[in-house]
Amino acid sequence: MNPSKPHREISIRVENLGKRYQIGQGAQPAYHTLRDQISTLVTQPLRWMGIRAKEDLAPRYDENEFRIWALRGVSFEVRQGEVIGIVGRNGAGKSTLLKILTRITIPTEGSVDLWGRVGSLLEVGTGFHKELTGRENVYLNGAILGMKKGEIARKFDEIVTFAEVERFIDTPVKYYSSGMAMRLAFAVAAHLEPEILLVDEVLAVGDAAFQKKCLDKMEEVGRAGRTILFVSHHMPAIVRLCERAIWLQDGQIYREGPAYQIVSEYLSESLGTTPIREWPDLMSAPGDEVVRLQAIRIRNAQGEITDTFDIREPVGIEMEYVVLKGGYALHAGFSLHNDEGQWLFASLDTDMEWDAKPRQPGRYRSLAWIPGNFLAEGTMMVGPSIRTEDPEILHLYEPETVAFQVTERPGLGPSSRMGFVGHFPGVVRPFLKWETHLLDPNPWNGRPGLRVENLP
């Protein structure tokens, strides 16, 4: 810890951080038994005399072969009041990073400086003593954070109400379900006013209502000017809550930048998606002797090829194809699936200029627009097709050929979320037109004895 705070109001500074673990035969035991201690006492004099014990004759292993770097060369700064998301695949080093920041794990190399009281929620019931009651654990955690008893008491009722454990607050925590322990642990971490809040996968446990409460509370903590590091696999929550994101890969910082941008790049690279596919050689292109597909591209409203769209933006699906044999009334089209394999919809060319008209040979381009505020967040897979309706002939269909990401960036105007933070269900999310009118400001007028306070 540096004794003086830096000029630029930094809350967290990480410099060249690394954590190395021993695995396999090279790993050191977590603890030593009495038998181990006796064995050491017996063999040490023999080694001093030049006599090797039986185990000394075993083949030697290079301990470097059994070392793994969970983190290596990680450096970043977080300013006071920033909300930072940490993304990456399992094993990327996300949880190790938070454990070092909370001093649960000692780094192998590098340094960490923190300015401010740190609250953390790394797993279910972190920091709880199983034999103590919920009430006792609240006061214990507050004391660990350096709070006075009066400060904890002022927050106590709010914590218990948020966690919804009023009936069990004087029950030992060892009898709590995982959901109860998570609710109380999050309530303690978020309500005891730490300057720095570290949260790892808070959405992994609990129902949808509790997840929404957690996200709402984290937004409130962020607005209060406190610093948050949020690890999650729930990408909409990262985009919603975080200004900036850090992408960890193989224990190193792979990319960092605006949260919506990092999330889009992470999803695209993780799923191997691409917004363009082209077949320069017609002989190997999808199709038959009538028509061949030469390209399919995903474009935005500016005409740029991209795989990242805000939920409010229109998405253009462009197909380029070559008609080899005339006389067929062709319809270009596509199917759209999400990353869960659900078929969202299919669309065929609705340009009436070509409806039921045989095509002459040549190169064609068809472009369809999916309107903004229609698709939900997620990954969308596009499968192009070309068919003849009469007679019915499917000339080509290439499922999941290209793909794009839909995310929802905060601050870009209204959407159907309207401030809702948790998981928003449904495969589409249209922004429908609503109207609300005040019909009667005093509906109980003229009805004796009916008052608001008397309603059930």
Side-chain angles (χ1 to χ4, degrees):
M1 291 288 290
N2 287 346
S4 60
K5 193 167 185 177
H7 179 66
R8 291 185 60 221
E9 296 297 318
I10 302 298
S11 287
I12 303 173
R13 175 180 288 151
V14 174
E15 293 183 340
N16 197 35
L17 192 65
K19 178 62 182 178
R20 184 181 61 202
Y21 291 103
Q22 295 284 112
I23 60 172
Q25 297 188 52
Q28 295 297 318
Y31 57 90
H32 295 277
T33 64
L34 178 60
R35 179 180 177 179
D36 296 330
Q37 299 292 342
I38 294 173
S39 176
T40 300
L41 291 172
V42 170
T43 57
Q44 277 180 344
L46 295 176
R47 291 191 182 102
W48 180 77
M49 296 170 59
I51 303 173
R52 288 182 294 174
K54 181 179 180 180
E55 61 268 20
D56 290 337
L57 300 176
R60 289 297 183 185
Y61 295 92
D62 182 359
E63 66 177 5
N64 289 318
E65 293 181 8
F66 303 99
R67 290 176 176 176
I68 183 172
W69 286 92
L71 291 174
R72 191 77 187 269
V74 173
S75 299
F76 62 89
E77 289 183 343
V78 183
R79 299 190 65 182
Q80 180 181 334
E82 274 194 292
V83 182
I84 306 297
I86 309 290
V87 303
R89 292 174 178 265
N90 290 335
K94 306 183 300 297
S95 296
T96 300
L97 173 62
L98 292 195
K99 287 178 181 178
I100 292 174
L101 293 178
T102 52
R103 302 184 185 89
I104 294 174
T105 298
I106 299 173
T108 305
E109 62 183 21
S111 64
V112 172
D113 293 312
L114 304 169
W115 288 272
R117 191 163 55 195
V118 179
S120 63
L121 181 61
L122 305 190
E123 55 190 43
V124 176
T126 297
F128 281 178
H129 192 294
K130 299 294 185 182
E131 299 297 330
L132 299 181
T133 66
R135 182 186 302 273
E136 291 166 337
N137 271 291
V138 171
Y139 279 92
L140 175 62
N141 274 261
I144 291 171
L145 285 173
M147 300 182 70
K148 295 180 180 178
K149 186 175 181 180
E151 293 179 88
I152 304 170
R154 284 194 294 272
K155 290 283 184 179
F156 184 81
D157 289 342
E158 189 178 347
I159 290 171
V160 175
T161 300
F162 183 95
E164 301 172 4
V165 293
E166 294 94 331
R167 293 174 55 196
F168 308 98
I169 194 62
D170 291 309
T171 300
V173 168
K174 66 181 179 181
Y175 297 116
Y176 283 22
S177 67
S178 60
M180 291 166 60
M182 169 61 82
R183 292 200 301 270
L184 186 58
F186 181 85
V188 169
H191 286 78
L192 292 183
E193 298 185 354
E195 283 85 12
I196 301 171
L197 179 61
L198 310 175
V199 183
D200 189 0
E201 279 300 356
V202 69
L203 300 178
V205 177
D207 56 23
F210 171 67
Q211 292 175 10
K212 181 181 184 302
K213 283 177 66 173
C214 288
L215 291 171
D216 286 345
K217 186 61 182 178
M218 288 174 65
E219 276 197 317
E220 179 186 322
V221 170
R223 287 195 300 268
R226 299 186 181 94
T227 303
I228 301 177
L229 254 64
F230 178 41
V231 169
S232 181
H233 289 286
H234 187 60
M235 295 300 109
I238 292 284
V239 173
R240 184 86 181 164
L241 291 175
C242 304
E243 311 151 29
R244 186 160 62 97
I246 295 172
W247 179 355
L248 289 180
Q249 185 166 291
D250 298 326
Q252 299 178 317
I253 293 181
Y254 182 57
R255 290 179 190 169
E256 60 179 310
Y260 71 89
Q261 179 181 328
I262 295 300
V263 164
S264 296
E265 293 174 358
Y266 171 70
L267 290 173
S268 296
E269 191 162 316
S270 298
L271 296 170
T273 60
T274 177
I276 181 172
R277 184 83 183 274
E278 296 177 328
W279 293 267
D281 180 14
L282 278 180
M283 295 298 294
S284 61
D288 56 16
E289 72 280 359
V290 175
V291 61
R292 297 269 179 168
L293 181 66
Q294 199 150 36
I296 178 165
R297 308 177 184 94
I298 311 295
R299 296 190 184 274
N300 61 20
Q302 291 73 45
E304 302 163 332
I305 296 173
T306 180
D307 63 354
T308 303
F309 293 84
D310 180 77
I311 201 167
R312 305 162 186 83
E313 294 181 280
V315 180
I317 311 295
E318 179 186 84
M319 295 173 56
E320 194 172 305
Y321 49 96
V322 175
V323 176
L324 304 171
K325 184 188 294 187
Y328 292 83
L330 301 174
H331 285 277
F334 66 88
S335 64
L336 196 70
H337 292 75
N338 64 14
D339 52 0
E340 296 178 356
Q342 295 172 302
W343 188 308
L344 305 186
F345 66 85
S347 180
L348 290 174
D349 185 356
T350 58
D351 188 340
M352 298 307 295
E353 181 180 346
W354 297 99
D355 184 46
K357 294 180 181 178
R359 302 280 186 100
Q360 64 183 21
R363 188 187 306 275
Y364 294 80
R365 178 181 289 119
S366 297
L367 177 62
W369 287 98
I370 303 172
N373 279 312
F374 178 73
L375 296 173
E377 294 152 298
T379 303
M380 308 298 160
M381 313 284 190
V382 181
S385 66
I386 298 180
R387 66 177 65 239
T388 299
E389 294 300 324
D390 190 16
E392 186 174 341
I393 304 171
L394 181 62
H395 300 283
L396 68 93
Y397 174 54
E398 291 291 306
E400 301 184 359
T401 303
V402 291
F404 59 94
Q405 311 290 337
V406 178
T407 60
E408 185 166 355
R409 294 170 57 185
L412 292 186
S415 74
S416 55
R417 265 189 185 274
M418 294 304 293
F420 182 81
V421 179
H423 171 66
F424 204 107
V427 294
V428 295
R429 193 181 302 169
F431 187 59
L432 303 179
K433 181 180 179 181
W434 284 63
E435 292 185 0
T436 301
H437 303 279
L438 176 61
L439 299 178
D440 186 351
N442 191 10
W444 52 83
N445 188 32
R447 298 178 62 185
L450 182 59
R451 293 291 185 271
V452 173
E453 59 270 18
N454 296 330
L455 293 177

